[in-house]
Amino acid sequence: MLLPELWLCLSFGCAASLSPSCLSAQFHRPGDFILGGLFPFGKDTVNLTARSEPSLLQCERLFTDGLIWALGMRFAIDQINNSSSLLPGITLGYDMYDTCFEALVALQPSLLFLTRNGTTGIGVLCNYTEYQPRVTAVIGPHKSDLCLVTAKLFSSFLIPQVSYGASSETLSNTELYPSFYRTVPSDKNLVEAVVLLLNQFGWNWVATIGSDDEYGRGAQALFLSMVGNDNICIAFEGLIPTELAEPNAKKQLEDTVKLINSTKVNVIVLFAFSLPAQALLEHSIRMGLGKKVWIGTEAWMLSDIAASIPDIQSIGTVLGFVMRTGTVPGFQEYVAELFSSVEQEEFCRESRELSSLMNAKVLGTQCQQCDHVTLRDVWPMLRVTTVQPVHVAVYGVAHALHRALGCTPKACPETPIRSWQLLHFMNTLPFEVNGQSFRFDQSHSTNTGYKLIFWAWRNGTLTYLPVGDYDQSLYIQKSQIRFHTADQKEPTSECFRRCQPGQFRRIKGFNLCCYDCTDCPENTFWSSTDSTSCSPCPQHQWAPARSTRCHDRSHRFLFWDEPLALALVTLTALSTALSCGTALLFLKHLHTPLVQVSGGGRSLFALLSLALLSLSCCLYVGKPSDGLCTAQQLSYALGLNGCFSTFLPKALEITLLTEFPRCAPRLLRWVSHSRAWLLVAASLLTQGLLCLCHLRLGPDFLVADYQSLPSEVLLVCGTKSWAAFALLHGYNSCLAFVCFLCTFMVQTPGRTYNVARGITFATLIYFVIWIFFIVIFATLRTVLRAVTQICTILATTLGILVSYFIPKGYVVVFRPDLNTGDYFHNPAEEEPKEDA
């Protein structure tokens, strides 16, 4: 009978030092196929506590869990052996050994399991295909640390090993551990659930602590690798000791609590088993850490060791994930029946007989508090300790045996089966246990999901309240959670405030989680949540400051209906009217001395050119195009040349009479009267050729300027060839300069009109205007560029009119008495003076 043997082990298993006490008690049951069982019957080393002896509660919990798991394996085996359909005619046996939570202790029965069936030796072979070990499969152990050691042994022989508690992600590597399976989810699934929980509550400034063992280190490493992609920052990460009796363990715990307190976090994620978690929570309470949100795991969430800490309610809010498991029908009744047999005299007699055969030295120091455990002590653990994973592990192996043997509902053939032959069936086919379907996934795990548990205190009694579920996605009943805050709402745990739409995170300091929220500048937009920069808008779009999207740019040019354009058009009409009015006035008095001395018919041509030059301002208003850009430059150059070409004969005439009197008689006929038109025509022809050259080298073209205006596309005319531009306008400048040189020093007798002075002022005004135009035009890149060109044209036109033609028109209209041959004397009719 198994129970007396178990009871004997438990009576001596809680040793004060590491002792293979339970290892000497082998729980054996013969059968056609033997399953090896590794369970923590004995207490972990007492070094886990700071006391000289373990407390009754700790001792009870530690070995009671192992007892329940072991009984769960036996219950499953009994069910299978009593089943008429799963393995009919086949009997499963078992060998159970205590691991004492120590890898060295777990290795000894593991090596025994590997021995050749019927012997105590392990065969050293090149080919283990026909090798038959002592056991067909192994159930356990519970902890990842032990499985990492034993799984390498069993994988070398391809013996199926099914753990009921090892969750380390390292064990998911099927290349290193091809025969390792587990009936619990991997830590990767647990960490994913924790990250989703943090995201749902907006907690992005957290501390994470793990126990210094495979479970704590592995889970914490997974957590740290995942949170970076979810904008969750770690304020503190640390490990707490598992050997609590070590001299520096207390200082490590105190330092950890101080560092947590210095980070000002409100959320702590704890990956640890019950005893390290208990030690950390005790120090947190003693050092006054304050109320926090503690996010735990099944390793300590359901432990009454942690829950029984004095003043545990003061730590704050406790949330955590526990594996979603079902009940095992009939198991509690099974355990109750076994414990009822303890009260019978036959049990006591068998226990005394077995005890007399045991060596007290081998058993080591006894745990006196563990001598009297009753069903009442075990019963609460039956509701908390999850026995289903053990139950499923045994059934998984049994179903694989069923398929490997080729069993029918009535019988199983007597076929020799090797352990490695079970692996194929465990990998591929699902199996059913108590109406629930299970299957090992690609990492040889069964992912049954998690329940989110909340520690609810009701009248001082702890209740594990389910408040959510996780299965690929997380669902939380937030209304069921009562946080420790004054309003019972979730606290914030942020190093920063959430940025509003249109703001990006500007990192400050060295911690990536500490930043200010800064508005996105113009022409950038906020593209994603918690972005560290703003995305620039495409060239054809714009955005205001703190924008979440870009807008299409509108075209900007000098519109006809805007006030500035209307004013300029009005001024253009005035200039054109003034030119045309002056031309009509000159035409009416064409044969008077004043008009004749001004050039006669050539003056009319000059005024007509000025009128056309004024009208060319209309080319700068409205939406520009490549054709309009080309026409703007050509019209300005030809219009201005038409005026200056009429000034040139008069300027040369004055120069010949005043500076070269000897040459004047034979040259004057080429610059006066009708032959002067040849000079005008030659000048216009030259300007026309330069216009063709400008078109050939590179006419002006339409440019879409996206830089000058924040929200509009500025349509302006760009200069393709500055050489062609210089040739086109340089010729007119040369004409103006020649006219200026020929007239600026000319003196006339008193009471005689100085014709040269009008030409001098006209050309001087032209140069002054162009100096200002070049400076402004080179630096101005807005819509005012077109305005500048219009103003330049109008200023040049009006300047020439005011300096040269308007004074003469004034004389014609208001001083007709001066319009005589004496006052407006033509110098060409004078006798040339002798050269000095």
Side-chain angles (χ1 to χ4, degrees), residues 8 30 54 56 72 124 143 150 213 243 246 251 306 324 350 402 407 614 649 656 664 681 696 733 794:
L8 178 65
L56 178 61
V124 181
K143 292 184 66 175
T150 59
D213 52 25
E243 299 294 333
E246 291 184 356
K251 185 178 185 302
R324 188 193 296 138
E350 292 180 2
H402 175 88
C407 296
S614 297
L656 289 174
R696 183 70 177 176
S733 298
L794 292 178

Side-chain angles (χ1 to χ4, degrees), residues 1 75 99 110 125 149 244 273 327 461 481 491 547 565 607 621 780:
M1 183 176 178
F75 177 62
T99 64
S110 298
L125 307 173
V149 176
L244 300 176
F273 284 103
T327 59
T461 303
I481 304 175
S547 179
L607 288 169
V621 184
L780 201 64

Side-chain angles (χ1 to χ4, degrees), residues 108-139:
Q108 299 181 45
S110 298
L111 292 173
L112 181 61
F113 292 158
L114 295 175
T115 59
R116 192 187 297 272
N117 190 20
T119 69
T120 58
I122 300 176
V124 181
L125 307 173
C126 294
N127 189 343
Y128 285 92
T129 304
E130 299 300 326
Y131 186 81
Q132 182 61 55
R134 177 184 178 88
V135 299
T136 304
V138 178
I139 307 300

Side-chain angles (χ1 to χ4, degrees), residues 6 9-10 13-15 17-27 36-46 48 62-63 65-67 69-70 73 95-111 113 138-151 153-154 161-166 243 273:
L6 280 176
C9 170
L10 296 177
C14 296
S17 61
L18 178 61
S19 171
S21 56
C22 293
L23 186 62
S24 62
Q26 172 188 346
F27 311 135
L38 296 173
F39 297 96
F41 299 133
K43 179 195 169 298
D44 199 352
T45 62
V46 121
L48 290 178
L62 288 168
F63 73 73
D65 282 342
L67 170 63
W69 290 326
M73 177 177 174
D95 272 353
M96 292 187 190
Y97 289 87
D98 183 19
T99 64
C100 291
F101 290 103
E102 287 291 336
L104 182 61
V105 177
L107 274 177
Q108 299 181 45
S110 298
L111 292 173
F113 292 158
V138 178
I139 307 300
H142 177 261
K143 292 184 66 175
S144 298
D145 306 65
L146 307 184
C147 287
L148 287 172
V149 176
T150 59
L153 283 176
F154 297 130
Q161 177 186 2
V162 188
S163 174
Y164 51 90
E243 299 294 333
F273 284 103

Side-chain angles (χ1 to χ4, degrees), residues 626 629-630 633 693-703 716-726 728-729 777 781 785 789:
D626 290 335
C629 290
T630 301
Q633 298 299 328
C693 183
H694 178 266
L695 292 174
R696 183 70 177 176
L697 291 177
D700 286 8
F701 61 98
L702 179 64
V703 176
V716 294
C717 294
T719 301
K720 186 176 182 179
S721 173
W722 286 103
F725 181 88
L728 186 65
H729 298 287
F777 190 80
R781 299 190 62 82
R785 192 170 185 178
Q789 291 175 296

